[in-house]
Amino acid sequence: MIRVATLADLDAVADLEVDNLGVDAWSPGLVEQAITDEHASLHVWVAEDDDTGEVVGHAVAAVVDVTELQRISVAGTHRRTGLASALLAEVVRTAERAGVERVVLEVREDNAGALAFYRAHGFVELARRRGYYRDGTTAIVLARDLTGTMAS
Ligand SMILES: CC(C)(COP(=O)(O)OP(=O)(O)OC[C@H]1O[C@@H](n2cnc3c(N)ncnc32)[C@H](O)[C@@H]1OP(=O)(O)O)[C@@H](O)C(=O)NCCC(=O)NCCS
């Protein structure tokens, strides 16, 4: 099940950040700011294991003039079961409701799994940003236009 995150999810989301995003993980403080965003442009969702209720995935998106997908992750134990696709569908639904026509994101060029995931969901490369990440890795900027499409 996908639902909006609350402060009760803070520890679980902070753990997902560390486990799944490694050197790029947000601190618990940043996760808390995202969950409690006072400008209401940042949205945080979690994916629950339907059997145990455990929080096993999360996504964060800023919905402004474009929608920027800032984080998406699923626990290693629960990958390839469609949870990230369900999280992305929620991001797309929220963007469409806000009248936003494009979702953009950056991904490390060495993250083959994530690149395959985004390509499977219709994202195309817009640009490359050399040295974007702290360890010097290049970022690939991907985008998906929503106009005239259905949430997937
Ligand atoms: C990328 C990530 C979020 C995908 O999560 P997921 O829940 O496993 O994705 P889904 O099950 O919804 O995958 C949907 C489709 O995307 C593609 N896909 C997903 N992961 C893939 C992988 N590792 N290799 C190849 N294709 C992949 C497949 O087409 C898949 O469909 P299939 O399983 O029927 O073949 C997950 O691997 C992850 O958390 N990675 C670490 C964090 C990360 O890199 N996040 C992105 C940062 S930009």
Side-chain angles (χ1 to χ4, degrees), residues 12 24 26 31 48 52 65 81-82 113 117 121 142 146:
D24 301 318
W26 280 355
V31 173
E48 280 182 359
T52 64
D65 52 333
T81 64
F117 169 75
H121 285 286
L142 297 177
L146 304 178

Side-chain angles (χ1 to χ4, degrees), residues 9-10 16 23 25 35 49-50 57 102 123-125 131 147 149 152:
D9 301 309
L10 177 55
L16 287 167
V23 291
I35 291 175
D49 180 307
D50 285 333
R102 176 173 267 197
F123 283 84
V124 295
E125 182 173 332
T147 319
T149 63
S152 64

Side-chain angles (χ1 to χ4, degrees), residues 20-21 70-75 78-86 105-108 111-118 120-121 133:
N20 297 328
L21 298 166
Q70 298 189 344
R71 344 282 294 162
I72 189 162
S73 94
V74 170
H78 287 70
R79 289 190 189 156
R80 304 303 287 266
T81 64
L83 285 177
S85 301
L105 60 92
E106 285 109 15
V107 56
R108 302 173 71 98
N111 192 344
L115 281 164
F117 169 75
Y118 293 128
H121 285 286
Y133 292 99

Side-chain angles (χ1 to χ4, degrees), residues 26-136:
W26 280 355
S27 66
L30 277 178
V31 173
E32 182 173 352
Q33 275 180 37
I35 291 175
T36 59
D37 176 41
E38 53 189 40
H39 304 299
S41 57
L42 269 186
H43 299 258
V44 185
W45 297 268
V46 291
E48 280 182 359
D49 180 307
D50 285 333
D51 297 325
T52 64
E54 185 193 355
V55 171
V56 292
H58 79 300
V60 181
V63 180
V64 278
D65 52 333
V66 296
T67 288
E68 190 190 335
L69 180 59
Q70 298 189 344
R71 344 282 294 162
I72 189 162
S73 94
V74 170
T77 47
H78 287 70
R79 289 190 189 156
R80 304 303 287 266
T81 64
L83 285 177
S85 301
L87 283 162
L88 179 62
E90 206 52 48
V91 173
V92 167
R93 262 193 293 277
T94 303
E96 287 181 330
R97 271 200 300 269
V100 173
E101 294 176 355
R102 176 173 267 197
V103 180
V104 297
L105 60 92
E106 285 109 15
V107 56
R108 302 173 71 98
E109 71 173 351
D110 58 3
N111 192 344
L115 281 164
F117 169 75
Y118 293 128
R119 287 207 183 97
H121 285 286
F123 283 84
V124 295
E125 182 173 332
L126 274 193
R128 287 184 182 232
R129 294 185 180 150
R130 306 216 176 277
Y132 180 84
Y133 292 99
R134 271 184 241 169
D135 62 358

